[in-house]
Each structure stands twice: as C-alpha cells, then as structure tokens.
Amino acid sequence: MEYTTLGKTGLKVSVVGLGCGGPSRLGLRNNSDSQERAIGIVRQAIDLGVNFIDTAQSYGTEGIVGKAIAGIPRDRLVISTKKTLPDAGQPSPENEIKKGLEQSLKHLGTDCIDVYHLHGVEPKDYDFARDRLMPAMRRLREQGKIRFIGVTEGFVQDTSHQMLQQSLNEDLWDVVMVGFNLLNPSARRTVFSATQDKRVGVLNMFAVRRALSQPDRLKAIVADLIQKGAISRGVMNAKDPVDFMLRESSAKTLPEVAYRFCRHERGVHVVLTGTGNPEHLKANVESILKPALPEPVLQKLEAIFGNLDTLTGN
Ligand SMILES: NC(=O)c1ccc[n+]([C@@H]2O[C@H](COP(=O)([O-])OP(=O)(O)OC[C@H]3O[C@@H](n4cnc5c(N)ncnc54)[C@H](OP(=O)(O)O)[C@@H]3O)[C@@H](O)[C@H]2O)c1
C-alpha cells in the first residue's frame, strides 16, 4: 500500500479508501443477508493495507464497519462517516447533528470520528449547511467527538461542482469528497486548484460506477454523447470506446483504466473503491497502485471527455 497526507488534517491515509456505500454497499444492496461477507470485505481491505474507511449514517454499514474493526488499535484506522442533512424546517436541525453523531459513534464502536461530513450537500442546501449546521459541527469538534469536518457533494444533482466552488471560497472544510472520473474530469478545472491552495483533503468518489465497470454501458453512453454532439464523431471509435484505452495503456480491464486515471490526478489524496466482491477489491487495490496511464492515452481522453461536466458515470 502507499500512504499520503490528507491535506491540512495531517492524517496519514492509504491512497485507496474503502467505500462502504455507493452502488454496492459492501454487497448489502443486492443481498441483505450477506453481513458476514460484508464484514469480510472490510477486513480484507485492512489486510491489504487500507486504513481509510468511509461509511455514512444512511448506508446501513456503520455497524458492519464497527464489527470489522473491533479489536484493531483505533489509531491504525482513519474512520470517515457522514450525517444525512436534517430537514431545514424542523425545530432544531443542530440537535439532529448531535444525535446523528452519537448514533454513528455507537454503531462504529468508537468515541471519536476522524472525518465527519455533511452528506450530499447540493447548491440549494449550502446556506442552510453553512449557517445552521456548521456551528453544530464545530461544537462537536471542540468537544473532541470529531477530529475534522468534511463535506460530500451531491454529485448526481451537481455534476459541475457548484456547491464546492462556492464553499471553497469560504474556507469551511478540512476535507471534501468530490465526484471525479474520466467521463467527467471537470473538478480538475474547478475544484482541485482551490483544494490544493487551501490544503483541503480530497477524497475521490465515482471513480468507476456503472459506466466504467460495464463496457456495454460505456458504449451506450458514448453513442449518446456523439448523437447529441457533445463529443465529435472523429475523435474515437464509437463502436468500441474501450478499445484504445485498454490497448494503449496495457490495462487488463476498464476499471483499471478508470482507477489509474483518478489515482494520479494532482490534488486527489484518496481514491474510494466500493465493492461487495473480494476479487474486485483485490484487483482494484492493485489497479490503484499501478503507474499513471501513458501520456498519449491521457491526451486522447482529455480531447474526448475533457470539457464534459454533465455525466456522473452511472
Ligand atoms: N455523496 C456521497 O457522499 C457519496 C456518493 C457516492 C459514493 N460515495 C462514497 O464513495 C464510495 C465509492 O462509491 P462510488 O459511488 O464511487 O462507486 P464506485 O466505487 O466507483 O463503483 C462501485 C461499482 O462498481 C462495481 N465495481 C467495483 N470494482 C469493480 C471491478 N473491478 N469490476 C467490475 N465492477 C466493479 C461495483 O460492483 P461490485 O460490488 O460487483 O464490485 C459497484 O457496482 C462509496 O462506497 C461511498 O463511500 C459517497
């Protein structure tokens, strides 16, 4: 495993982070009976050297993580979890933050969260998050119940990072979780220079999702983009958009291309990988530790997808 420093937090984190949500939720999404298997995925990740584990109140996997990490010295791990945004209309949203944190601590079996995020903040939520929820988050930090404050963007609704662009001007976060992949590399233009200037820790989500784990899905997306005129017919073979990526980078699989693309992006500290499949986890860790894609492949990807900011990779 390789380790890096998560921006101004100073936390030493593995460059691979285990995502316990996303389309798989450690395999629980498709098979809610597979708790033992899900615990096994978390332990496998730790055995592979992963020390950054990301979960959330809403994933239903905090308890799984709690069971998997029981008995492991707490300072060997960096635990990241998230608070679902409370309803702005209710009497005390601040109190909801406190209650959510207490519940997360209990599920995770710990007395302190390393990175506590507001979860899926969309542009419409931002003023509420800053003015009503941040004071409660700061209080939790002062009380020693959380170490650092993070935010995750609502990438599906905010593919061009409007919330992060606004909030990074206001210096709120220690850590941000950003949607970034080769089909929507727009954070390179709009987010990563600000995070580097301010030494904000960056967690990369949506590295793979469906489009970059299923070649047929990618073909359908590219055909649609060509049809809409979003990418030009001449720049790639629409019948086989995967072809050049694999051939010219000597990668074994499409997810390998996608993970190598993210891992070597300047400004990204941790690439999150979410899976319920032990073979995928092993392969993904290997992919993230491989060298950068060759420069000609990166240039071609930039020519094709570099200006897009509308896709999520779903
Ligand atoms: N707003 C937010 O806060 C937010 C939103 C999304 C995600 N996240 C975080 O980011 C983490 C990562 O999630 P993500 O959304 O970025 O998804 P992702 O990890 O990019 O994609 C996961 C999907 O790819 C498949 N997959 C993974 N490796 C594969 C491989 N080697 N071959 C084929 N398929 C493969 C998984 O299926 P299998 O189970 O079959 O492997 C799953 O369907 C989440 O777990 C969560 O912690 C946060």
Side-chain angles (χ1 to χ4, degrees):
M1 183 52 63
E2 292 168 24
Y3 298 87
T4 190
T5 303
L6 186 62
K8 62 184 165 190
T9 69
L11 294 168
K12 296 285 175 253
V13 289
S14 48
V15 297
V16 182
L18 180 69
C20 304
S24 283
R25 289 209 274 123
L26 298 173
L28 294 182
R29 175 105 58 199
N30 296 326
N31 182 359
S32 55
D33 293 335
S34 55
Q35 294 238 346
E36 284 308 317
R37 212 177 136 93
I39 292 171
I41 294 275
V42 180
R43 293 205 175 125
Q44 181 192 357
I46 294 169
D47 288 345
L48 290 167
V50 171
N51 77 347
F52 189 93
I53 301 176
D54 178 66
T55 177
Q57 179 184 37
S58 65
Y59 295 164
T61 54
E62 288 181 324
I64 301 280
V65 174
K67 287 186 181 131
I69 66 173
I72 298 176
R74 182 63 183 80
D75 60 3
R76 278 187 49 199
L77 300 169
V78 176
I79 302 294
S80 154
T81 191
K82 321 188 188 77
K83 175 72 188 99
T84 308
L85 293 198
D87 186 354
Q90 65 158 281
S92 178
E94 296 87 344
N95 212 27
E96 286 301 306
I97 297 282
K98 195 167 155 249
K99 277 200 314 209
L101 188 267
E102 294 299 342
Q103 191 188 55
S104 294
L105 290 173
K106 199 165 156 201
H107 287 154
L108 287 159
T110 185
D111 53 11
C112 179
I113 303 295
D114 297 297
V115 187
Y116 196 48
H117 306 261
L118 294 175
H119 193 170
V121 176
E122 297 175 34
K124 69 177 172 49
D125 306 316
Y126 176 61
D127 289 351
F128 170 63
R130 180 192 56 204
D131 300 339
R132 298 292 304 278
L133 306 181
M134 274 305 280
M137 297 286 275
R138 291 196 190 99
R139 247 189 313 280
L140 294 175
R141 188 169 54 186
E142 282 154 22
Q143 291 164 358
K145 294 187 173 180
I146 66 176
R147 295 177 72 192
F148 298 101
I149 296 175
V151 73
T152 76
E153 63 181 346
F155 187 49
V156 174
Q157 297 78 14
D158 184 15
T159 55
S160 60
H161 317 288
Q162 298 301 315
M163 184 283 293
L164 284 177
Q165 289 183 63
Q166 183 183 357
S167 66
L168 283 165
N169 281 329
E170 298 182 355
D171 259 340
L172 293 185
W173 324 112
D174 301 311
V175 178
V176 294
M177 192 181 290
V178 187
F180 176 76
N181 58 44
L182 64 83
L183 297 172
N184 180 349
S186 59
R188 179 183 290 160
R189 282 179 274 118
T190 57
V191 176
F192 294 154
S193 53
T195 54
Q196 286 172 90
D197 282 353
K198 293 168 190 281
R199 298 179 51 244
V200 171
V202 171
L203 312 171
N204 183 168
M205 63 177 170
F206 283 74
V208 162
R209 296 293 281 208
R210 276 203 295 157
L212 295 162
S213 60
Q214 301 170 13
D216 286 346
R217 175 88 188 135
L218 179 60
K219 278 184 206 170
I221 286 176
V222 169
D224 186 52
L225 288 169
I226 292 176
Q227 209 227 337
K228 286 181 178 145
I231 57 180
S232 85
R233 244 167 234 285
V235 293
M236 75 189 303
N237 177 357
K239 290 209 183 86
D240 198 350
V242 187
D243 194 35
F244 85 90
M245 298 186 203
L246 295 178
R247 196 182 53 244
E248 295 177 28
S249 58
S250 319
K252 284 198 219 119
T253 63
L254 182 57
E256 178 187 321
V257 174
Y259 283 124
R260 286 167 66 188
F261 180 85
C262 291
R263 158 68 181 114
H264 297 280
E265 178 68 22
R266 190 190 284 268
V268 168
H269 296 116
V270 175
V271 179
L272 293 164
T273 178
T275 182
N277 179 326
E279 292 304 317
H280 287 175
L281 177 60
K282 184 168 171 286
N284 297 348
V285 169
E286 283 170 11
S287 298
I288 293 171
L289 297 179
K290 283 192 178 171
L293 297 172
E295 195 52 40
V297 175
L298 290 172
Q299 282 173 14
K300 211 153 157 182
L301 290 173
E302 172 65 18
I304 299 166
F305 302 112
N307 289 321
L308 298 181
D309 67 0
T310 54
L311 300 179
T312 59
N314 270 338

